[in-house]
Amino acid sequence: MTQQDLTDYASDGGDSSTARYVPDTCIGFDVTADFAHFRKVGNNSAKPSYRVPPRTTVAGLLAGIMGMPRDSYYDLFSPSSSAVAVVPKELPHTYTMGITTVNTKADDAIQYLPQERSWHHGAEMLTPESYVKYDRQRDTYEMLVDPVYRVYAALADEDVHDELRERLEDSRYHYSPALGLSECIADIRNVDTHTVESATTDAVDSAAYDDSAVVPRPGITVNRERAPLYMEATDGGRRTTAFGNITYATGDDRLPVDASRTHAVGDHEVVLY
């Protein structure tokens, strides 16, 4: 099913000696939702969103579908063992929404009555203080409206790859897929398996996740948004190992790129990461 491209992969801040993984086949599917939000790094109170889901978000979406624990799947989605491309089929417009949030970390914010004091034997009941102890916070979110993406993904681990394909085809998700926020429940359709072939085009339909493949061209407007690219697990959780620039063309233009990095997959020409 797979092959290894030994061309060095140079990402912004990454390890230039890491080989890119290029599969023979990949899974393709459309994902959409009424709203989406991919919070940009470095912002707290006001929460702007990326227009295209970061690669780390796509990895989290697929890992959640397979029921993988948090921070357990970073090696599986490393650049040497996975390939991802995202085609924004319709770049969404945005809507600013105020959302009231509350801390839901169980150890800090939620308190329970002892079971012997519960009105129902054995049930855990929230104490009244749990509802008022921690202040609510109203944050401003930039929401994407009616986003539609075509995702192409492949994993070097054939067993996991096959399980992912079967789960997508059968709509058998361990965790409900969402586009960013858990409230943004996603709809996945048009699941298929595609052959990955080398292409020679100088423009692609997909976004790029770093600048190394992008070749600016007069008359084509390109947007860049800095985002995490790869992560690794640590004793305290996780850390970003490489950042990149999510780069995409606006309007009806395609993203101009180095032709040597392009592949034909399904109905699209893409750059794989």
Side-chain angles (χ1 to χ4, degrees), residues 187-237:
D187 183 21
I188 293 177
R189 302 178 181 178
N190 303 325
V191 181
D192 206 347
T193 298
H194 302 283
T195 300
V196 178
E197 300 177 346
S198 295
T200 57
T201 181
D202 61 358
V204 293
D205 304 296
S206 69
Y209 282 119
D210 71 58
D211 298 65
S212 64
V214 179
V215 180
R217 189 178 304 162
I220 297 179
T221 302
V222 170
N223 286 351
R224 300 192 310 167
E225 300 175 337
R226 188 166 177 79
L229 189 56
Y230 303 109
M231 291 186 172
E232 68 178 8
T234 64
D235 292 339

Side-chain angles (χ1 to χ4, degrees), residues 13-237:
D15 182 356
S16 62
S17 65
T18 303
R20 279 193 299 126
Y21 170 73
V22 179
D24 290 330
T25 62
C26 71
I27 306 165
F29 61 91
D30 292 339
V31 58
T32 184
D34 292 335
F35 294 96
H37 176 81
F38 312 112
R39 185 169 68 88
K40 289 186 178 181
V41 297
N43 293 272
N44 292 319
S45 54
K47 301 188 185 324
S49 175
Y50 297 108
R51 295 298 187 275
V52 176
R55 191 186 190 279
T56 51
T57 300
V58 176
L61 169 70
L62 300 179
I65 286 172
M66 293 184 287
M68 295 181 173
R70 182 181 176 89
D71 301 329
S72 68
Y73 53 85
Y74 302 132
D75 289 342
L76 185 69
F77 286 92
S78 70
S80 61
S81 60
S82 65
V84 171
V86 175
V87 177
K89 298 182 73 172
E90 296 180 19
L91 278 176
H93 68 276
T94 62
Y95 174 78
T96 301
M97 182 183 300
I99 299 177
T100 301
T101 59
V102 64
N103 180 13
T104 57
K105 185 178 178 182
D107 293 341
D108 295 338
I110 300 177
Q111 300 176 5
Y112 293 95
L113 287 171
Q115 291 188 0
E116 61 270 17
R117 293 181 55 192
S118 172
W119 67 273
H120 187 279
H121 180 68
E124 289 187 326
M125 301 297 295
L126 286 170
T127 65
E129 292 82 1
S130 296
Y131 297 99
V132 297
K133 181 177 179 180
Y134 289 87
D135 292 336
R136 271 58 174 171
Q137 178 175 330
R138 190 167 182 82
D139 293 314
T140 301
Y141 285 77
E142 182 183 41
M143 306 298 292
L144 309 182
V145 182
D146 295 327
V148 182
Y149 306 103
R150 181 72 179 175
V151 177
Y152 296 102
L155 300 172
D157 187 319
E158 295 192 13
D159 292 336
V160 180
H161 179 94
D162 291 342
E163 179 188 352
L164 174 61
R165 175 180 50 77
E166 292 170 2
R167 284 183 174 274
L168 289 168
E169 290 174 344
D170 299 338
S171 299
R172 183 168 53 88
Y173 315 131
H174 187 95
Y175 295 108
S176 297
L179 287 181
L181 295 177
S182 59
E183 295 86 350
C184 301
I185 300 299
D187 183 21
I188 293 177
R189 302 178 181 178
N190 303 325
V191 181
D192 206 347
T193 298
H194 302 283
T195 300
V196 178
E197 300 177 346
S198 295
T200 57
T201 181
D202 61 358
V204 293
D205 304 296
S206 69
Y209 282 119
D210 71 58
D211 298 65
S212 64
V214 179
V215 180
R217 189 178 304 162
I220 297 179
T221 302
V222 170
N223 286 351
R224 300 192 310 167
E225 300 175 337
R226 188 166 177 79
L229 189 56
Y230 303 109
M231 291 186 172
E232 68 178 8
T234 64
D235 292 339

